[in-house]
Amino acid sequence: MGLTSQTTVYVMAAWAAGCVGLMVWLWPRLAKPGLRSVLGRLAVIGVTQVAIVAAFSAAVNSSYEFFGSWSELFGNADTAPVALTNPQEQNGGVTGISSVSGSLIQPGGNQQLSRVSGLPSGPAAQNGRVESVRVIGRRTGVVDQAFVYLPAQYFQKAYARQRFPVIVALSGYPGSVYNLAQYLRVSQTAGELQSRGEMQPTIMVMIRPTIAPPRDTECVDVPGGPQTETFLAKDLPDALKSVYRVGHDASAWGVMGYSSGGSCSLQLTMRNPNVYTTAAALSPDYRVKDDPTTGNLFGSGPKRQARINGHDLMWRLKHLPAPQVSVLVANSKHGERGYGQTLAFVRAVRAPMRVVSILPNSGSHNFPTWVREMPAALKWMNQQLTFPQDVVPRHHPNAVTTAHPKGGRSRVRAGASVPARTSGGR
């Protein structure tokens, strides 16, 4: 009985209803005076409240996929690499899997992806494709799920040796890749913009920055703890470059996110301008601080304050050279509390860093607001990212080829393995 399954929701709801009924039945017996009766009333009230909250939480988690499994909920998520696989070509299609070694991208489960509406279906060369994969962190040992949207051009013969720009989309906390696909509609919006010629063909990578659930690490390399920044700034790009035809220069890489994912996108870009040169942050914060969900992010000792300052973007703008990056920040004047901070951030930016803003008059800290801002953010990012000029070598001893949906062949970069096809859509 999985954490996100409807069976779990129904069981929790039945348990809550049973507790309410039991409380009503027991209450007359517990109405007598005396310490035992008082303690009994407190006990049944407490158990009933816990049951109701648990049922409500299970229903919300099933809809939004904050935690994908019981192990994640209790902080015991599996981080061990799984078997390495590679699709084989049979009769013009990808139909078999055999073991290979060295892959940092592996096929992921299709359970969440199958629940996402509006994903591309049909021939990939016409509509593109979304794959569910697991990203293996070579340095950190982290294993994190991701959805990868590949545009139609990725599968077309004319682009067989072409690399593509990349936008990494980050969820908020606790968040999930399901939220990015279903509620923020990252791949659907990008696909629509690209089909209308308003956005160049771009690979969209949807991933959550919560690599050590349920802890919120705020994209920080925690001393003696989770190395989130290293995973997102080094492991993730390396893994994607090892499998997909993506640009190798930072000018082809951008990162975006909402809420704490937006904060993370700014942090990654300003702290790692040699990896990401463009960021779009929807409703971000501009400094990282400890709270009950994060624990101690910066350690102790004489270097603690330096670590705190390094993740305070306003401090960085005041005391450090401005990085040569472009960022977009979005916050609503009425309905969100970060509007004043956003204005202060915009005023603090100086060359060679560039900033633009989306400042609607009203909007709350929720998906409807971020969905409204998504098209403008993606089109702006599209204008900043360069379409890679480098191409995959035509002949290479370790090159891998995959069958083209229309009978042609597209060449994947040298040394790559291809994730299993997991197209979603309803």
Side-chain angles (χ1 to χ4, degrees):
M1 189 168 63
L3 178 61
T4 61
S5 70
Q6 290 299 305
T7 301
T8 299
V9 175
Y10 295 147
V11 169
M12 299 296 286
W15 176 45
C19 287
V20 171
L22 184 62
M23 182 179 70
V24 172
W25 182 71
L26 289 175
W27 200 258
R29 302 186 180 190
L30 299 173
K32 301 175 183 180
L35 179 60
R36 180 177 297 181
S37 296
V38 172
L39 294 177
R41 290 196 295 270
L42 292 175
V44 296
I45 290 173
V47 171
T48 302
Q49 292 286 351
V50 169
I52 293 172
V53 171
F56 177 77
S57 300
V60 171
N61 187 69
S62 179
S63 296
Y64 290 94
E65 297 276 356
F66 294 127
F67 298 99
S69 67
W70 294 103
S71 295
E72 286 187 6
L73 179 64
F74 294 109
N76 297 315
D78 179 19
T79 60
V82 296
L84 303 173
T85 58
N86 183 44
Q88 302 297 301
E89 301 171 5
Q90 296 182 7
N91 301 323
V94 178
T95 59
I97 295 178
S98 66
S99 296
V100 296
S101 61
S103 177
L104 299 175
I105 299 287
Q106 302 172 11
N110 197 37
Q111 179 182 0
Q112 292 190 58
L113 190 60
S114 64
R115 298 175 54 197
V116 178
S117 61
L119 295 182
S121 58
Q126 296 179 13
N127 304 315
R129 188 168 81 198
V130 178
E131 299 180 338
S132 176
V133 302
R134 300 181 76 191
V135 180
I136 312 299
R138 182 169 57 84
R139 298 171 182 81
T140 61
V142 170
V143 180
D144 206 4
Q145 184 185 17
F147 294 159
V148 179
Y149 165 75
L150 302 171
Q153 289 83 353
Y154 191 89
F155 304 95
Q156 295 172 5
K157 190 173 183 179
Y159 291 82
R161 297 177 57 233
Q162 178 66 57
R163 301 189 191 275
F164 290 79
V166 181
I167 294 177
V168 175
L170 302 174
S171 66
Y173 174 81
S176 70
V177 290
Y178 177 79
N179 291 351
L180 291 165
Q182 176 67 13
Y183 297 107
L184 196 59
R185 301 184 62 78
V186 170
S187 56
Q188 298 91 320
T189 304
E192 292 168 3
L193 292 174
Q194 292 176 33
S195 67
R196 297 198 300 262
E198 299 178 28
M199 182 178 177
Q200 64 186 343
T202 303
I203 293 175
M204 307 294 299
V205 180
M206 293 159 272
I207 196 167
R208 62 176 187 175
T210 308
I211 65 170
R215 185 178 186 182
D216 178 14
T217 56
E218 291 282 346
C219 291
V220 172
D221 279 351
V222 181
Q227 304 293 289
T228 311
E229 182 175 16
T230 295
F231 175 72
L232 293 172
K234 296 181 180 179
D235 284 346
L236 177 62
D238 284 354
L240 295 170
K241 291 173 184 177
S242 74
V243 171
Y244 295 104
R245 302 197 312 274
V246 297
H248 285 200
D249 190 83
S251 63
W253 285 74
V255 57
M256 68 178 304
Y258 66 88
S259 191
S260 62
S263 307
C264 184
S265 69
L266 292 177
Q267 295 274 344
L268 288 172
T269 303
M270 293 179 64
R271 289 173 56 86
N272 303 275
N274 60 325
V275 179
Y276 300 104
T277 56
T278 303
L282 311 181
S283 305
D285 289 321
Y286 301 95
R287 63 187 296 262
V288 176
K289 56 184 178 180
D290 294 341
D291 64 33
T293 66
T294 66
N296 184 354
L297 293 175
F298 304 106
S300 58
K303 294 184 178 180
R304 173 178 168 81
Q305 189 58 49
R307 297 189 189 104
I308 293 174
N309 291 340
H311 288 277
D312 183 336
L313 300 185
M314 298 300 292
W315 185 93
R316 295 184 69 90
L317 289 174
K318 183 177 181 180
H319 295 92
L320 299 179
Q324 191 167 346
V325 297
S326 299
V327 301
L328 177 151
V329 290
N331 226 296
S332 301
K333 184 176 182 180
H334 301 288
E336 293 192 274
R337 61 184 181 182
Y339 183 77
Q341 297 174 0
T342 296
L343 293 182
F345 177 82
V346 170
R347 288 193 294 265
V349 170
R350 62 187 186 279
M353 184 175 173
R354 296 185 300 166
V355 63
V356 298
S357 59
I358 299 176
L359 303 172
N361 189 57
S362 62
S364 300
H365 197 82
N366 56 26
F367 284 109
T369 298
W370 301 324
V371 168
R372 287 170 50 207
E373 297 165 346
M374 272 288 291
L378 285 177
K379 286 193 284 187
W380 175 83
M381 293 187 77
N382 165 254
Q383 296 169 358
Q384 314 310 310
L385 298 177
T386 60
F387 203 96
Q389 299 300 310
D390 54 331
V391 296
V392 178
R394 186 178 299 277
H395 300 291
H396 192 284
N398 295 324
V400 179
T401 59
T402 60
H404 190 278
K406 289 188 176 182
R409 300 176 71 80
S410 60
R411 185 175 297 275
V412 181
R413 73 183 294 282
S417 63
V418 184
R421 178 174 179 173
T422 51
S423 298
R426 293 194 289 214

